[in-house]
Amino acid sequence: MTIEAAQIQRVLSPELRDLLTLSVQQVLPSTNAYLLQQPMRDQQWSVVIAQQQTQGRGQRDHQFASPIGGLYLSLLMPVRDSAQFNAFQQTAAAGVALAETIQALLHYEVQLKWVNDVYDQQQKLAGILTEGYLDVTGRLSGVVVGVGLNFASTIETEHIGNLRALVVAQQVTINQFSAQYLNRLYTLLQLPALELTRRHQRWTPLVGRKFQTIAGQPVQDISVSALKPDGTLILSNQQIVRIGQRVRFAD
């Protein structure tokens, strides 16, 4: 399953085609790491897709197995106002774009796990890693959003799934999927923060879910009351859980 930049670009919306530069690499240690080392062009987006990663990683430096057949894509975009930057919105947009593209092209519904994973029931299909891009002065000037999706790889265990059977059945190429994902991601990133958060909740039914543990401590009868646009969870006891805090849901 060969990834070809020309085929992807033909399916991109005209506006997005003019905005971004696209590179396809055979093998990279990490697509996120690759873009973090590249110079950022003023107001331009840069996308890199790798056929394979040798050091794929997720949150908290967890390893992400990245054999041939998966989709390993990272996007670098400028941050115009670092004081107002909201990393959750980038992560949410990437997750919703994946879920919506899977539904549109493969006619299958997945779930988003707060904050940055895509699941099929109890099996993880994809991870999302959002990282800040710092300029030479140390100022946040961009953001890299990377996705690793088990598109048609050979990975399949009790806890890790893939879309291979659906991809074959629907005859969807990785080039088609990549282009439609980028189109949706671009559209979602134009939405107001509140609207994007609502769209995210369509795939992440958090409100009402009860916790088993918060920060490693067992809790009882505490549930989610609301999801704020910065990714913060408001709890039924009026406490909050911020991104980065470890939680385990009861269901």
Side-chain angles (χ1 to χ4, degrees):
M1 186 172 288
T2 303
I3 304 174
E4 297 183 14
Q7 290 192 24
I8 295 171
Q9 288 171 324
R10 278 198 293 269
V11 185
L12 294 178
S13 67
E15 187 176 7
L16 184 54
R17 194 182 305 129
D18 292 339
L19 179 65
L20 65 77
T21 58
L22 173 64
S23 170
V24 174
Q25 305 288 327
Q26 286 299 309
V27 181
L28 287 175
S30 158
T31 55
N32 264 33
Y34 176 84
L35 285 183
L36 287 170
Q37 296 169 359
Q38 303 302 307
M40 187 169 62
R41 302 181 182 183
D42 185 40
Q43 304 307 314
Q44 286 290 111
W45 287 18
S46 296
V47 173
V48 64
I49 306 175
Q51 295 270 172
Q52 182 179 6
Q53 292 183 128
T54 57
Q55 297 175 32
R57 55 195 174 86
Q59 293 290 326
R60 303 186 182 93
D61 288 328
H62 290 171
Q63 291 186 339
F64 188 91
S66 310
I68 291 175
L71 173 62
Y72 316 113
L73 179 155
S74 291
L75 162 68
L76 169 63
M77 69 189 88
V79 170
R80 294 178 177 83
D81 185 353
S82 58
Q84 299 297 319
F85 176 67
N86 182 350
F88 174 71
Q89 293 293 304
Q90 320 299 316
T91 304
V96 173
L98 278 177
E100 290 185 352
T101 305
I102 291 169
Q103 183 184 56
L105 296 185
L106 302 180
H107 310 295
Y108 193 74
E109 189 158 311
V110 296
Q111 305 84 42
L112 299 183
K113 179 181 176 183
W114 182 82
V115 173
N116 61 332
D117 292 328
V118 180
Y119 270 75
D120 175 13
Q121 304 302 323
Q122 300 301 313
Q123 291 185 309
K124 182 175 178 178
L125 292 175
I128 300 165
L129 181 62
T130 303
E131 298 181 283
Y133 180 101
L134 306 180
D135 63 20
V136 292
T137 69
R139 182 182 65 88
L140 179 69
S141 59
V143 60
V144 174
V145 183
V147 298
L149 172 66
N150 297 331
F151 183 74
S153 65
T154 56
I155 297 177
E156 192 163 12
T157 69
E158 180 181 358
H159 300 293
I160 299 177
N162 66 60
L163 299 171
R164 185 173 62 252
L166 291 169
V167 168
V168 172
Q170 299 297 332
Q171 297 184 330
V172 175
T173 71
I174 198 166
N175 297 306
Q176 291 172 312
F177 190 95
S178 299
Q180 293 295 353
Y181 166 73
L182 288 169
N183 284 336
R184 288 177 183 274
L185 179 58
Y186 177 74
T187 299
L188 288 164
L189 287 170
Q190 313 311 308
L191 294 178
L194 187 59
E195 177 58 30
L196 179 54
T197 303
R198 288 174 179 157
R199 192 92 156 247
H200 185 268
Q201 289 182 90
R202 151 75 175 84
W203 302 94
T204 312
L206 284 168
V207 175
R209 289 190 69 183
K210 292 186 176 181
F211 293 95
Q212 181 177 353
T213 64
I214 298 176
Q217 300 300 311
V219 297
Q220 290 185 334
D221 298 323
I222 297 177
S223 60
V224 179
S225 294
L227 172 67
K228 295 182 67 177
D230 65 355
T232 298
L233 300 179
I234 307 299
L235 309 188
S236 55
N237 63 356
Q238 301 307 307
Q239 292 182 338
I240 63 174
V241 171
R242 300 187 187 280
I243 292 176
Q245 289 183 257
R246 293 176 181 246
V247 302
R248 183 182 295 275
F249 290 101
D251 55 344

